[in-house]
Amino acid sequence: MTSTVAAGLAALLALVGCAGSAGPAATASTTPAGVATVLPTDKPGGTLRVVTDAMPTGDPGWAVTTADRAFARLVSRTLYSYPASADVDSAVVARPDLAVSAPQRSPNGLVITVRLSSAARWDTPTPRRIVANDVARGLKRLCLPPTPSPLRGYFAATIVGFNAYCTELFTKPLDQLKDFIENQSPAGIQVVSNTDIAFHLIRPYTDFVDLLALPEAAPVPVEADDYQPNSPDYLNHLISDGPYHVTSSADGVYSLGKDGQWNRAIDGIRQALPDHITITSGVTAADAQSQIEAGKADITLDSAVPLDRATALFKAADPRLSVPTTGSDLFLTVGMHGPAGAALSDQDVRDALATCVDRIAVVEALGDPPFASAASQLLQPTMTGYSPLDPFPTQDGAGDATTCGDGLAKAPDGPVTELTLLTTDTATDAAVAGALVETFAKVGVKLVVDAKAQSDFDAAAVSPLQQSWDLALTTVTPLWYGDAGRTVFQPLFDPTWVGQRPVDGGYDAKEVLDTMSVALQAPTPASRAAAWGVLESTVLRDVAVIPLAVLYEPRFRSSSVLSFNQVPSVGTVDLTDLALGPA
């Protein structure tokens, strides 16, 4: 770390709370120019026809993909949730769902107590009240072997004793797992009564409500203990507490009807406008698009519009196309221990490297706006701490070949002439890699692309002491978008992180971790914004990462869908919020 960065952190620790901004608001969706937006309506009724490639299991503890989260919203509730709203500032603030109000915090901020509504019921043959022990069970299940939840890290980093509980659970024989889940708890999860549950935090983190809004924090009924998590058996025996439940399934088609134990009076998040929902699985993205355009389906559960088709629809100003203004961060992670590690350990070389990228070419490879926008930072406008930042500006973001070439040529141990780029084997990564190869070739640097299947990428990307790469093309999709610094930065830079992480470049992030701790405990929005701003500036100026773009996934609906409000934390529309009728 530079002395300037250290001084900045010291100033932040002394003055946090005196400055900061949450950033300007963004709109909820992009509509082609010249087309009137279809006004939302609360018209109930009808059957919503959904298509998907693969049917989610409905297990909220493993709701990682967009399809998982969209389906979970139909059949599962959480203590807090994000509303569907045309106002993105409203859609990124968690509101009470099963909880009756905001949580109660102890004077030192270390104990968070949540009271559940006494009206919510499981859709069991004999309706049964949802109680605090169901919430505790849902969290404890996240650590079940053999494949624990990829998102358990958020709770392990926050709740007292959670990581130790997971470690012990993982050592239990299979026939003892149910007993351990039902009779043992992490020290930091306390069932006070049927209605009250208390969480003891490692530190007084202020974003804990956002963690409780994750599907992974949803209550789970005791019957779930009899089935392997995230499995077909779980889906086949799914017990709902959301507005819909599965009524039948045959040949990959799942029919959902209204849950008789749910009503609008006890759920301030979901409208449950369609009377029925059918989900047809085994439908590819291309076939899904064709079916929706032909009026044979209404919307997809999982797939964005294929880019070539989205481009044509946008140019035609088709009002059925919607593009959000929150998305996924795309950036290069710099490997500190790869083939060129000796050169990249030098700050001056990394400074030059940051000027090499042509973000305009990257955005073109991604389909141009509104499907991608150039980005020089990781925080997005809806996030606490966002403020426009570009430590290494170049003309129009197109790179600076002279500065790049000179800096790489003056590396201490000799000129940098070759770098290895790790990517996945997806079409998107291939397009971006092609643009980067051309850019680096202009300064005499050969960019060797190592494209791997996702599972192989995951293994290679998180082994910093065995790095075979110098740059890794990394995509991070935030799990929420308000006070969201943790979901952007902690899995990237916290060396103690457990569960799913995007990549590990081997960056020494001690001061970053100190700043993150300040940001997560700062008592006011302004002080949190200041801390996240300092953290982002640090990692960008140290060139631990090189931001490239933000990706926005286009969605398409049939003419029968009259309202369309996306939920950023879900990654698509709230299916319960769709009004149906003639076009």
Side-chain angles (χ1 to χ4, degrees):
M1 298 286 179
T2 64
S3 58
T4 301
V5 170
L9 175 57
L12 172 64
L13 290 167
L15 300 174
V16 66
C18 300
S21 169
T27 57
S29 63
T30 299
T31 302
V35 175
T37 302
V38 177
L39 295 177
T41 175
D42 59 359
K43 176 182 179 297
T47 298
L48 178 69
R49 301 162 300 169
V50 182
V51 288
T52 185
D53 183 16
M55 183 68 182
T57 68
D59 192 333
W62 281 256
V64 176
T65 69
T66 294
D68 294 334
R69 296 192 296 270
F71 183 69
R73 199 168 171 99
L74 296 173
V75 299
S76 184
R77 296 178 64 187
T78 44
L79 296 177
Y80 300 90
S81 293
Y82 304 96
S85 175
D87 176 8
V88 74
D89 285 336
S90 176
V92 300
V93 177
R95 312 292 172 83
D97 188 350
L98 285 171
V100 299
S101 64
Q104 297 297 311
R105 289 182 177 268
S106 64
N108 63 5
L110 290 175
V111 182
I112 306 293
T113 303
V114 179
R115 174 158 293 178
L116 280 71
S117 166
S118 61
R121 298 286 188 272
W122 292 113
D123 182 36
T124 46
T126 300
R128 188 176 70 242
R129 180 177 166 184
I130 298 170
V131 296
N133 197 50
D134 296 325
V135 177
R137 180 184 301 108
L139 290 169
K140 290 186 285 184
R141 288 177 70 254
L142 300 181
C143 301
L144 279 169
T147 309
S149 169
L151 299 186
R152 67 192 185 280
Y154 287 96
F155 303 95
T158 306
I159 297 175
V160 171
F162 192 91
N163 199 35
Y165 178 88
C166 289
T167 300
E168 186 174 359
L169 177 62
F170 218 74
T171 66
K172 297 295 179 183
L174 292 178
D175 61 355
Q176 296 181 22
L177 293 178
K178 180 176 180 178
D179 180 72
F180 191 82
I181 289 286
E182 292 303 318
N183 296 294
Q184 303 294 325
S185 289
I189 298 179
Q190 178 188 3
V191 175
V192 180
S193 67
N194 278 343
T195 55
D196 292 354
I197 184 168
F199 302 95
H200 298 257
L201 309 187
I202 298 170
R203 292 184 177 84
Y205 298 130
T206 57
D207 66 348
F208 191 61
V209 167
D210 291 295
L211 270 63
L212 295 181
L214 292 172
E216 283 67 21
V220 173
V222 65
E223 290 86 350
D225 287 341
D226 294 330
Y227 309 107
Q228 184 173 336
N230 199 33
S231 67
D233 272 348
Y234 188 96
L235 176 61
N236 292 336
H237 298 89
L238 191 150
I239 295 175
S240 172
D241 66 332
Y244 298 91
H245 62 176
V246 178
T247 57
S248 66
S249 62
D251 301 323
V253 179
Y254 295 79
S255 297
L256 282 70
K258 291 288 185 69
D259 174 358
Q261 300 307 312
W262 179 95
N263 64 73
R264 288 279 297 276
I266 64 171
D267 188 339
I269 298 294
R270 300 159 193 81
Q271 296 194 70
L273 296 179
D275 288 335
H276 306 280
I277 298 174
T278 62
I279 302 177
T280 302
S281 61
V283 182
T284 66
D287 286 344
Q289 184 66 26
S290 297
Q291 289 186 30
I292 296 171
E293 291 193 40
K296 297 178 181 179
D298 294 312
I299 195 169
T300 68
L301 188 65
D302 56 350
S303 56
V305 185
L307 185 57
D308 56 348
R309 187 61 188 142
T311 300
L313 291 166
F314 182 75
K315 289 180 179 178
D318 194 312
R320 298 170 296 174
L321 181 72
S322 180
V323 186
T325 56
T326 54
S328 301
D329 293 320
L330 180 70
F331 54 94
L332 294 172
T333 299
V334 178
M336 304 297 179
H337 305 292
L344 296 182
S345 65
D346 184 85
Q347 181 68 53
D348 290 337
V349 173
R350 296 200 306 277
D351 287 354
L353 186 67
T355 69
C356 296
V357 297
D358 183 346
R359 295 186 176 96
I360 303 305
V362 168
V363 170
E364 288 177 354
L366 294 169
D368 289 320
F371 311 119
S373 64
S376 56
Q377 60 190 112
L378 301 187
L379 291 178
Q380 297 180 36
T382 58
M383 296 177 179
T384 300
Y386 170 84
S387 182
L389 177 64
D390 186 357
F392 303 97
T394 61
Q395 184 68 38
D396 298 323
D400 184 336
T402 300
T403 301
C404 169
D406 289 349
L408 297 184
K410 296 176 181 176
D413 293 333
V416 176
T417 59
E418 182 174 298
L419 295 168
T420 300
L421 173 65
L422 178 69
T423 76
T424 70
D425 60 0
T426 63
T428 296
D429 275 15
V432 173
L436 293 172
V437 167
E438 292 184 10
T439 298
F440 277 90
K442 294 176 182 177
V443 295
V445 174
K446 180 181 180 181
L447 197 61
V448 179
V449 179
D450 182 9
K452 296 181 179 293
Q454 186 66 59
S455 59
D456 294 331
F457 175 92
D458 292 342
V462 296
S463 303
L465 299 183
Q466 300 176 0
Q467 272 176 5
S468 60
W469 51 271
D470 302 304
L471 302 169
L473 188 58
T474 308
T475 302
V476 167
T477 303
L479 297 176
W480 64 91
Y481 287 88
D483 187 9
R486 180 204 291 253
T487 187
V488 174
F489 294 112
Q490 192 169 21
L492 267 176
F493 297 120
D494 186 345
T496 65
W497 187 257
V498 297
Q500 188 177 59
R501 64 187 310 165
V503 71
D504 185 351
Y507 172 58
D508 181 2
K510 174 63 171 64
E511 292 185 47
V512 166
L513 296 179
D514 291 342
T515 309
M516 189 181 307
S517 182
V518 173
L520 289 171
Q521 299 176 67
T524 66
S527 59
R528 290 194 290 274
W532 287 122
V534 168
L535 187 153
E536 179 171 52
S537 177
T538 300
V539 299
L540 294 184
R541 294 181 190 281
D542 282 351
V543 199
V545 297
I546 303 173
L548 298 174
V550 177
L551 309 178
Y552 309 101
E553 287 200 339
R555 302 287 168 178
F556 191 77
R557 73 274 195 178
S558 74
S559 298
S560 297
V561 176
L562 305 182
S563 60
F564 197 87
N565 290 322
Q566 299 208 44
V567 183
S569 63
V570 175
T572 186
V573 71
D574 178 359
L575 298 177
T576 78
D577 193 48
L578 297 182
L580 302 172

